[in-house]
Amino acid sequence: MGFTAVDDVNLKIREGTLHAVIGPNGAGKSTLFNLITKFHQPSAGKITFKGSDITGIRPANLARKGMVRSFQISAIFPEMTVLENVKMARLRKYGTPSRFWKSLGSLNALDEACLALIEDVGLMDYAYHIAGQLPYGRKRALELATTLALEPDVLLLDEPMAGLGQEDINKISNLIGHVAKGRTVLMVEHNMSVVAQLSDVITVMQRGQVLVEGDYDYVSQHPKVLEAYVGTGENKRA
């Protein structure tokens, strides 16, 4: 008998909200995220985005449609400056292949928009620093800037607090709250204080299915959620 990681999940993300998916380890959160972002193909069911069926399309095509994902591990070009990293992302959105071979320094027309994004994530003082030399928390902020450079309609954040110390958690949480304004965000996250602070809607998963959905006050007091976490050692991490 095969193992079903995600079973009969009906998830709707409202435009302009930050929607968090939580649940104990093995609940199916990462599998669900990979299905939505096309790193896994579903064996049944359908995924739609802005009214279009995207079930069978490739991840790169999904990004072009406006759904962009960040990952648990920071993905940057460590030998480039912060500004050059954001330029590279901007080129993916607007750059022309015939100019790709040119030096990034020659693409000065991109500077204004890229520096605005860098300022938006609090890295203006580091714009000309080598990205690989940044502290880990600032690398995560840079990754967020490069993601935003693609101008996503939906921003998907996969455990953005992973590997961060408490000081960086506070900074990145505040940063996500800032950049999420007016955007649609789907976030998988373990840190419940961050989920409580940022989320408009929370979906709780257990054993590959949706257990409960609602705002934090509703979810945190729901008997099914309390039962799922009591004695699991997960009451502070979801």
Side-chain angles (χ1 to χ4, degrees):
M1 181 180 294
F3 173 74
T4 303
V6 173
D7 185 17
D8 194 28
V9 171
N10 185 2
L11 186 69
K12 294 183 179 179
I13 313 300
R14 297 199 311 270
E15 186 176 359
T17 63
L18 194 152
H19 192 128
V21 178
I22 68 172
N25 291 332
K29 307 181 299 294
S30 295
T31 301
L32 176 65
F33 215 67
N34 286 329
L35 287 167
I36 292 172
T37 55
K38 315 311 303 159
F39 286 85
H40 295 332
Q41 286 298 323
S43 57
K46 184 168 66 173
I47 303 170
T48 61
F49 177 48
K50 296 193 289 188
S52 299
D53 187 344
I54 62 169
T55 308
I57 72 170
R58 296 178 178 179
N61 292 334
L62 183 62
R64 294 186 188 101
K65 284 181 173 291
M67 187 182 292
V68 179
R69 171 182 179 169
S70 72
F71 293 85
Q72 292 181 27
I73 300 173
S74 184
I76 59 173
F77 295 100
E79 301 302 323
M80 292 183 177
T81 67
V82 167
L83 177 58
E84 288 169 345
N85 267 270
V86 180
K87 279 185 177 183
M88 286 293 292
R90 200 74 173 179
L91 281 170
R92 285 184 61 192
K93 178 73 175 180
Y94 295 110
T96 57
S98 62
R99 294 174 62 195
F100 188 79
W101 59 270
K102 291 187 177 181
S103 166
L104 284 172
S106 70
L107 303 177
N108 295 328
L110 298 175
D111 281 9
E112 184 176 356
C114 291
L115 287 170
L117 281 172
I118 290 168
E119 183 173 20
D120 212 28
V121 300
L123 291 179
M124 183 59 78
D125 289 343
Y126 300 88
Y128 301 98
H129 287 220
I130 299 300
Q133 298 175 1
L134 295 177
Y136 184 68
R138 292 193 170 97
K139 288 178 182 176
R140 299 307 298 263
L142 172 56
E143 184 190 34
L144 188 56
T146 59
T147 304
L148 294 174
L150 297 171
E151 297 186 348
D153 296 316
V154 177
L155 177 62
L156 299 111
L157 302 177
D158 186 9
E159 298 193 21
M161 306 303 152
L164 296 177
Q166 189 57 52
E167 182 179 355
D168 284 332
I169 285 175
N170 294 335
K171 290 179 180 178
I172 299 300
S173 179
N174 290 334
L175 177 56
I176 290 173
H178 171 65
V179 301
K181 293 177 182 178
R183 291 185 169 95
T184 305
V185 180
L186 177 64
M187 178 176 71
V188 171
E189 179 52 53
H190 281 292
N191 189 303
M192 284 303 298
S193 63
V194 171
V195 170
Q197 176 186 343
L198 296 178
S199 302
D200 299 302
V201 181
I202 301 169
T203 297
V204 184
M205 294 187 66
Q206 185 183 37
R207 299 189 182 96
Q209 297 183 319
V210 172
L211 185 66
V212 175
E213 186 171 280
D215 63 18
Y216 180 78
D217 290 338
Y218 175 77
V219 164
S220 63
Q221 298 301 318
H222 197 284
K224 288 184 178 180
V225 176
L226 295 176
E227 181 182 356
Y229 284 98
V230 168
T232 66
E234 295 273 355
N235 55 313
K236 293 184 179 180
R237 286 173 59 84

